[in-house]
Amino acid sequence: MAAFPDIKSTHSLVAKHVTKEAWDKLSGHVTKTAGFTLAKAIACAVQFDNQHVGIYAGDGDSYKDFADVFDPLIQEYHGITADAKHTSDMDVEKITGNVNPKAPVHSTRIRVGRSIEGYGLSPGITKEQRLGVEALFSSASGKFSGDLAGKYYALTGMDEAVRQQLVDDHFLFVSGDPNLKAAGMERDWPEGRGIFHNTDKTFLVWVNEEDQLRIISMEKGGDVLGVFKRLAKGIEAVGDSVKEESGKGFMLDEKYGYVHSCPTNLGTGMRASVHIDLPGWTSHGVDKLKARCEELALQPRGTRGESGGQTGCTYDISNKHRLGYSEVQLVQTMIDGVNTLYTEDLALQKKHGM
């Protein structure tokens, strides 16, 4: 049995839930699909002192085999009960209204993650499995039709002009994230990774980044409903094509919904976001905006991404929850919340004499 690790992220959920007792019981176990271990799962929390969660799954088995750690941690993070079940619902017709067309929304983006049965997840996936996922998707994506039709670009041997275009479009994911590295997600980089986008550049799939498949629908402006419609159609097209090609479906757990490598993404794995100008709230105070978003079940970020920071008065506003709510509920929450923030922003602009 391996010695109990020194967990540098002392305030992380890993530090709380990976007890000596749990470690002694589970540290010798190796999962069947990807040969993953608890030590590999918690590498980020051991290596860094800034993790809030600090654990990843290397395959679907990890959630079952290391359930003594994952279950209480997931329940605490997502605020769900031990007997909770997850329900998925992508029925666009159930959404009422849309973001106010007068709201100063620059762009809308909705993404989900999906994992194909029988393959490891990014932190544990073997080289053969990763290439298998890529080959499967590359072939399946050739069957997309209509406004979803497009091209798959492998990172390996990518033409420089193509690479530069993808960078200019802000589509390309790059290596070097310390968390992804420590978690084992950048092994054999860039082999087996790539990007698909449709002709209009409004439907994208990232292959073998943090998730096997990250499916993204996006466009300029604030038509959240239209973006969600395209996403629902796109997920169905990916699922159907992969199934036809391989007989395999997406990994779906009745308790945790769609299986992702990061437990914070379990459930819908959905992040529905808009980039919106909120000058009134900016004058009123960013901390107050954060508190208001919390009340509306939203999450504000700077427009440079998760760890980027703030530029001017433009914010990235997204749904806070992933698990315990359906996709329809989360998109509805985002639409309603953004409309509320916009109405309040107009009042705050008046109040601050703008």
Side-chain angles (χ1 to χ4, degrees):
M1 184 196 312
F4 187 63
D6 173 23
I7 298 168
K8 282 192 188 151
S9 288
T10 49
H11 298 292
S12 64
L13 293 178
V14 161
K16 181 175 177 180
H17 294 289
V18 179
T19 58
K20 174 89 171 68
E21 188 186 357
W23 177 262
D24 290 348
K25 179 182 170 186
L26 301 170
S27 63
H29 180 76
V30 178
T31 64
K32 190 176 163 198
T33 305
F36 210 61
T37 62
L38 185 58
K40 286 179 182 173
I42 65 168
C44 284
V46 171
Q47 229 170 306
F48 305 121
D49 61 6
N50 62 350
Q51 302 291 300
H52 170 53
V53 180
I55 193 167
Y56 288 98
D59 46 20
D61 316 352
S62 298
Y63 287 112
K64 304 258 190 298
D65 298 1
F66 307 127
D68 290 2
V69 169
F70 273 113
D71 284 351
L73 183 149
I74 290 163
Q75 284 154 27
E76 180 173 344
Y77 178 86
H78 289 282
I80 61 165
T81 56
D83 57 357
K85 298 264 187 286
H86 181 77
T87 313
S88 177
D89 185 1
M90 293 289 293
D91 185 355
V92 185
E93 304 303 319
K94 291 181 185 165
I95 289 178
T96 53
N98 204 346
V99 167
N100 186 333
K102 290 187 181 137
V105 175
H106 298 267
S107 60
T108 302
R109 180 180 187 268
I110 310 179
R111 62 89 163 154
V112 299
R114 289 292 183 267
S115 309
I116 303 164
E117 294 165 345
Y119 295 93
L121 304 173
S122 195
I125 194 168
T126 65
K127 194 173 173 175
E128 292 70 30
Q129 287 171 351
R130 193 186 301 108
L131 291 169
V133 168
E134 183 192 33
L136 182 51
F137 176 80
S138 175
S139 176
S141 64
K143 300 192 175 79
F144 299 165
S145 60
D147 62 345
L148 299 179
K151 189 174 174 194
Y152 175 71
Y153 303 90
L155 258 55
T156 310
M158 183 178 276
D159 179 72
E160 181 50 34
V162 169
R163 194 195 70 81
Q164 195 52 54
Q165 185 60 57
L166 291 169
V167 168
D168 294 345
D169 288 330
H170 303 291
F171 289 174
L172 199 66
F173 55 89
V174 292
S175 67
D177 182 303
N179 279 355
L180 301 191
K181 257 192 169 125
M185 298 198 214
E186 299 205 344
R187 292 166 298 129
D188 314 310
W189 183 274
E191 200 175 46
R193 280 98 172 168
I195 293 172
F196 169 89
H197 70 71
N198 68 342
T199 312
D200 295 340
K201 300 184 178 179
T202 54
F203 175 64
L204 279 75
V205 184
W206 287 0
V207 178
N208 287 321
E209 193 236 8
E210 186 180 313
D211 286 305
Q212 286 179 19
L213 303 174
R214 193 157 268 194
I215 305 169
I216 305 162
S217 174
M218 59 196 243
E219 63 184 59
K220 296 272 181 243
D223 182 10
V224 176
L225 190 62
V227 171
F228 184 57
K229 268 185 184 159
R230 187 186 313 110
L231 182 79
K233 193 165 86 167
I235 293 169
E236 195 178 357
V238 174
D240 289 351
S241 303
V242 165
K243 189 89 170 183
E244 197 181 313
E245 198 79 17
S246 66
K248 294 179 193 294
F250 294 137
M251 280 190 228
L252 182 61
D253 182 272
E254 65 165 15
K255 190 155 67 169
Y256 294 146
Y258 287 101
V259 176
H260 293 69
S261 66
C262 183
T264 66
N265 275 324
L266 289 169
T268 58
M270 172 182 279
R271 184 169 184 276
S273 66
V274 294
H275 282 187
I276 183 172
D277 290 342
L278 297 171
W281 275 108
T282 304
S283 291
H284 196 53
V286 175
D287 289 343
K288 288 175 183 160
L289 172 61
K290 281 183 177 158
R292 183 63 177 128
C293 283
E294 187 66 33
E295 292 168 0
L296 296 168
L298 299 174
Q299 193 174 35
R301 284 183 187 172
T303 48
R304 290 204 193 106
E306 202 153 355
S307 49
Q310 188 42 38
T311 49
C313 65
T314 308
Y315 297 85
D316 175 306
I317 305 284
S318 66
N319 56 295
K320 182 188 168 197
H321 298 108
R322 305 275 184 271
L323 180 63
Y325 302 83
S326 72
E327 291 84 353
V328 163
Q329 285 174 302
L330 294 180
V331 171
Q332 189 70 60
T333 297
M334 193 267 266
I335 289 174
D336 296 345
V338 166
N339 285 333
T340 300
L341 288 176
Y342 169 59
T343 305
E344 292 168 350
D345 195 76
L346 295 177
L348 288 167
Q349 286 180 48
K350 274 197 183 130
K351 184 180 167 182
H352 292 282
M354 295 169 77

